[in-house]
Amino acid sequence: MKITYIDKPTYLPDWTIEKINQIAEMKVYDDLPNETEAIRRLSNTDIAIVEWTTINKNMVDKIDGLKYLIAITTSFDYIDVDALVAKGIHVSNCPTYSKQSVAEHVFALMLSVNRKLALADRTCREGKSHVYPPFLCTELRGKTLGIVGLGQIGSVVSSIARAFGMNVIGCSKNNNSVEGVTTVSMLEVFKSSDFISINLPHNEETINIVSKDLLGNMKANAILVNTSRGNVVDEEALYQLLKDKKIVGAGLDDLKNYKDNKILELDNVIFTPGSAWYSEEAREANMVELIKNIKSFKEGILVNLVN
Ligand code: DAR
């Protein structure tokens, strides 16, 4: 059995390489392949591990011999799962490794916007102290947090929120019920929340699901935090709201594009570059999930299938 990590691992420590090599020989490529090269790498192996490479139908048609594809990520929006499955290739992801990290990052963003940490930092570096008026904030205790998406990450967000003394409401497509969260409609989340956390997967159903209409229902004191893909939010509508100061601010871990995007000029937004997941613990947990997926293939009982 052969395993191939086709595209430049962010993290693949020696202990993981050793463990995987005990299961089967693994080849790791430290660069990002173009389409032709990706097809080649995906073809000379039983299991492929993918992190960065878009895998479209055209490529899937040309892949030969692959049996199992593992997305090292939770999101699999860059992979044409239907095409792979139609060809008999199983697809799994790593669904839980980042839930604690991302949930903690939600609060890092929420508090950073609320307490204007970027401006506070600049103020101190200018040699100023005891500056108060621009930094008037609110406490989280007693405020309502609305969570859009009550999956793995949304659930952890809710328990942290409760530790802050927040009142938590939320909505989910599958009507997931999470302890301590009052389930309401998505519209109600936008109407009633002081803070909103978006925790959705990105797929055809969720593109721009955080629409202009929903955003327009936010309270004037509200702060929106998005640690999902930027694509789930109508970014143009969010930009207008923030620019016109119709809401207090936003914390965004992803954008639709990073070049010439006017949202990057706004002061009431804090940005992070997709780093919400990136903690020491999540990196290790990601490796544990990867090894579990590989073992499950060897043992013939696949786990974490995405279809
Ligand atoms: N988008 C997040 C983060 C990907 C991070 N890369 C990893 N885990 N190598 C996701 O998990 O989908």
Side-chain angles (χ1 to χ4, degrees):
M1 188 166 98
K2 265 178 73 181
I3 303 175
T4 309
Y5 199 133
I6 73 158
D7 53 357
K8 203 178 180 199
T10 297
Y11 184 63
L12 191 63
D14 288 347
W15 74 263
T16 304
I17 297 175
E18 276 159 30
K19 275 227 151 96
I20 295 177
N21 278 326
Q22 283 163 17
I23 305 170
E25 185 200 335
M26 177 169 65
K27 165 95 187 135
V28 179
Y29 287 94
D30 281 319
D31 60 349
L32 299 176
N34 62 23
E35 210 172 291
T36 317
E37 179 59 14
I39 295 164
R40 201 186 65 76
R41 292 179 190 179
L42 289 161
S43 292
N44 294 316
T45 192
D46 301 283
I47 302 179
I49 304 163
V50 180
E51 179 165 349
W52 302 103
T53 310
T54 299
I55 300 178
N56 59 39
K57 172 143 186 353
N58 174 44
M59 293 164 75
V60 174
D61 288 343
K62 296 186 182 138
I63 294 170
D64 186 25
L66 180 67
K67 300 185 183 73
Y68 183 38
L69 185 137
I70 302 172
I72 189 83
T73 51
T74 302
S75 37
F76 45 88
D77 49 356
Y78 54 99
I79 294 169
D80 191 330
V81 175
D82 290 344
L84 284 158
V85 171
K87 208 170 161 164
I89 301 166
H90 305 288
V91 185
S92 287
N93 70 341
C94 295
T96 61
Y97 75 95
S98 71
K99 62 180 180 178
Q100 182 67 29
S101 274
V102 176
E104 290 185 16
H105 197 81
V106 168
F107 289 86
L109 289 173
M110 223 148 120
L111 291 165
S112 299
V113 177
N114 181 31
R115 291 180 180 261
K116 301 195 176 70
L117 290 193
L119 177 65
D121 180 82
R122 286 201 299 278
T123 305
C124 292
R125 287 168 199 269
E126 284 162 11
K128 297 180 199 150
S129 173
H130 299 86
V131 179
Y132 304 134
F135 299 109
L136 186 65
C137 64
T138 58
E139 293 180 352
L140 299 191
R141 186 169 55 119
K143 301 298 179 307
T144 295
L145 170 69
I147 304 174
V148 180
L150 294 170
Q152 300 275 357
I153 296 171
S155 308
V156 184
V157 171
S158 78
S159 57
I160 300 175
R162 287 192 296 136
F164 271 106
M166 301 182 89
N167 163 40
V168 189
I169 61 175
C171 61
S172 88
K173 180 184 134 208
N174 317 319
N175 284 326
N176 288 359
S177 81
V178 173
E179 200 197 327
V181 181
T182 307
T183 309
V184 297
S185 67
M186 182 132 60
L187 178 60
E188 196 53 42
V189 166
F190 280 82
K191 276 186 168 165
S192 319
S193 302
D194 304 300
F195 296 88
I196 296 177
S197 175
I198 312 295
N199 298 112
L200 291 170
H202 172 224
N203 54 41
E204 274 167 17
E205 284 171 47
T206 60
I207 291 177
N208 287 332
I209 194 169
V210 180
S211 62
K212 185 175 180 193
D213 275 1
L214 284 171
L215 290 166
N217 278 283
M218 285 175 73
K219 290 163 69 171
N221 68 304
I223 288 174
L224 179 94
V225 169
N226 184 26
T227 49
S228 312
R229 290 273 201 240
N231 281 344
V232 305
V233 177
D234 181 334
E235 206 167 87
E236 179 59 36
L238 179 63
Y239 167 78
Q240 274 309 326
L241 279 186
L242 290 161
K243 184 166 177 286
D244 302 342
K245 307 243 166 14
K246 297 252 171 67
I247 60 173
V248 167
L252 306 175
D253 189 48
D254 189 34
L255 290 176
K256 286 188 171 158
N257 70 299
Y258 284 84
K259 289 213 171 83
D260 303 323
N261 188 338
K262 47 195 193 299
I263 203 164
L264 287 162
E265 288 158 23
L266 299 176
D267 268 348
N268 48 356
V269 190
I270 293 225
F271 303 96
T272 52
S275 52
W277 74 283
Y278 198 53
S279 67
E280 291 181 4
E281 293 82 357
R283 288 197 319 187
E284 297 301 319
N286 200 183
M287 296 300 101
V288 174
E289 273 194 314
L290 171 65
I291 292 166
K292 194 171 158 199
N293 284 346
I294 294 172
K295 278 195 175 145
S296 83
F297 178 78
K298 184 140 199 223
E299 287 156 10
I301 315 157
L302 288 169
V303 293
N304 297 328
L305 291 172
V306 297
N307 53 298

